[in-house]
CSV table of all heavy atoms in Angstrom, one decimal:
chain,number,residue,atom,x,y,z
A,7,LEU,N,36.7,-18.2,19.7
A,7,LEU,CA,36.6,-19.7,19.5
A,7,LEU,C,37.0,-20.5,20.7
A,7,LEU,O,36.3,-21.3,21.2
A,7,LEU,CB,37.4,-20.1,18.3
A,7,LEU,CG,37.0,-19.6,16.9
A,7,LEU,CD1,37.9,-20.1,15.8
A,7,LEU,CD2,35.5,-20.1,16.6
A,40,TRP,N,36.0,-20.5,5.8
A,40,TRP,CA,35.3,-21.7,6.3
A,40,TRP,C,34.8,-22.5,5.1
A,40,TRP,O,33.9,-22.1,4.4
A,40,TRP,CB,34.1,-21.2,7.2
A,40,TRP,CG,33.3,-22.3,7.8
A,40,TRP,CD1,33.7,-23.6,8.1
A,40,TRP,CD2,31.9,-22.3,8.1
A,40,TRP,NE1,32.7,-24.3,8.7
A,40,TRP,CE2,31.6,-23.5,8.6
A,40,TRP,CE3,30.9,-21.3,8.0
A,40,TRP,CZ2,30.3,-23.8,9.0
A,40,TRP,CZ3,29.6,-21.6,8.4
A,40,TRP,CH2,29.3,-22.9,8.9
A,59,ILE,N,44.0,-24.1,14.2
A,59,ILE,CA,43.1,-24.0,13.0
A,59,ILE,C,43.9,-24.4,11.7
A,59,ILE,O,43.4,-25.1,10.9
A,59,ILE,CB,42.5,-22.6,12.9
A,59,ILE,CG1,41.4,-22.5,14.0
A,59,ILE,CG2,41.8,-22.5,11.5
A,59,ILE,CD1,40.9,-21.1,14.1
A,63,GLY,N,42.0,-27.4,10.7
A,63,GLY,CA,41.0,-26.8,9.9
A,63,GLY,C,39.9,-26.1,10.8
A,63,GLY,O,39.7,-26.6,11.9
A,64,LEU,N,39.3,-25.1,10.3
A,64,LEU,CA,38.3,-24.3,11.1
A,64,LEU,C,37.1,-25.2,11.5
A,64,LEU,O,36.7,-25.1,12.6
A,64,LEU,CB,37.9,-23.1,10.3
A,64,LEU,CG,36.9,-22.2,11.0
A,64,LEU,CD1,37.5,-21.6,12.3
A,64,LEU,CD2,36.5,-21.0,10.1
A,65,GLY,N,36.5,-25.9,10.5
A,65,GLY,CA,35.4,-26.7,10.8
A,65,GLY,C,35.6,-27.8,11.9
A,65,GLY,O,34.8,-28.0,12.8
A,66,ALA,N,36.7,-28.5,11.8
A,66,ALA,CA,37.1,-29.5,12.7
A,66,ALA,C,37.3,-28.9,14.1
A,66,ALA,O,36.9,-29.5,15.1
A,66,ALA,CB,38.3,-30.3,12.3
A,67,TYR,N,38.0,-27.8,14.2
A,67,TYR,CA,38.3,-27.2,15.5
A,67,TYR,C,37.0,-26.7,16.1
A,67,TYR,O,36.8,-26.9,17.3
A,67,TYR,CB,39.3,-26.0,15.3
A,67,TYR,CG,39.6,-25.3,16.6
A,67,TYR,CD1,40.5,-25.9,17.5
A,67,TYR,CD2,39.0,-24.1,17.0
A,67,TYR,CE1,40.8,-25.3,18.7
A,67,TYR,CE2,39.3,-23.5,18.2
A,67,TYR,CZ,40.2,-24.1,19.0
A,67,TYR,OH,40.5,-23.5,20.2
A,68,ALA,N,36.1,-26.1,15.4
A,68,ALA,CA,34.9,-25.6,15.9
A,68,ALA,C,34.0,-26.7,16.5
A,68,ALA,O,33.4,-26.6,17.5
A,68,ALA,CB,34.1,-24.8,14.9
A,69,LYS,N,34.0,-27.8,15.7
A,69,LYS,CA,33.3,-29.0,16.1
A,69,LYS,C,33.8,-29.6,17.4
A,69,LYS,O,33.1,-30.0,18.3
A,69,LYS,CB,33.3,-30.1,15.0
A,69,LYS,CG,32.4,-31.3,15.3
A,69,LYS,CD,32.4,-32.2,14.1
A,69,LYS,CE,31.5,-33.4,14.4
A,69,LYS,NZ,31.5,-34.4,13.3
A,70,SER,N,35.1,-29.6,17.6
A,70,SER,CA,35.8,-30.1,18.8
A,70,SER,C,35.5,-29.3,20.0
A,70,SER,O,35.4,-29.7,21.1
A,70,SER,CB,37.3,-30.3,18.6
A,70,SER,OG,37.9,-29.1,18.6
A,71,GLN,N,35.3,-27.9,19.8
A,71,GLN,CA,35.0,-27.0,20.8
A,71,GLN,C,33.5,-26.9,21.1
A,71,GLN,O,33.1,-26.2,22.0
A,71,GLN,CB,35.5,-25.6,20.5
A,71,GLN,CG,37.0,-25.6,20.5
A,71,GLN,CD,37.7,-25.8,21.8
A,71,GLN,OE1,37.2,-25.3,22.8
A,71,GLN,NE2,38.7,-26.6,21.9
A,72,GLY,N,32.7,-27.5,20.2
A,72,GLY,CA,31.2,-27.4,20.4
A,72,GLY,C,30.6,-26.0,20.0
A,72,GLY,O,29.7,-25.6,20.5
A,73,ILE,N,31.2,-25.4,18.9
A,73,ILE,CA,30.8,-24.1,18.5
A,73,ILE,C,30.1,-24.2,17.2
A,73,ILE,O,30.5,-24.9,16.2
A,73,ILE,CB,32.0,-23.2,18.3
A,73,ILE,CG1,32.7,-23.0,19.6
A,73,ILE,CG2,31.6,-21.8,17.7
A,73,ILE,CD1,34.1,-22.3,19.5
A,74,ASP,N,28.9,-23.5,17.0
A,74,ASP,CA,28.2,-23.5,15.8
A,74,ASP,C,28.6,-22.3,15.0
A,74,ASP,O,28.3,-21.1,15.4
A,74,ASP,CB,26.7,-23.4,16.1
A,74,ASP,CG,25.8,-23.5,14.8
A,74,ASP,OD1,26.4,-23.9,13.8
A,74,ASP,OD2,24.6,-23.2,14.9
A,75,LEU,N,29.3,-22.5,13.9
A,75,LEU,CA,29.9,-21.4,13.1
A,75,LEU,C,28.8,-20.7,12.3
A,75,LEU,O,29.0,-19.6,11.9
A,75,LEU,CB,30.9,-21.9,12.1
A,75,LEU,CG,32.2,-22.4,12.8
A,75,LEU,CD1,33.2,-23.0,11.8
A,75,LEU,CD2,32.9,-21.3,13.5
Side-chain angles (χ1 to χ4, degrees):
L7 294 179
W40 180 31
I59 289 171
L64 181 60
Y67 180 76
K69 188 176 181 183
S70 70
Q71 295 292 319
I73 298 170
D74 185 15
L75 292 174

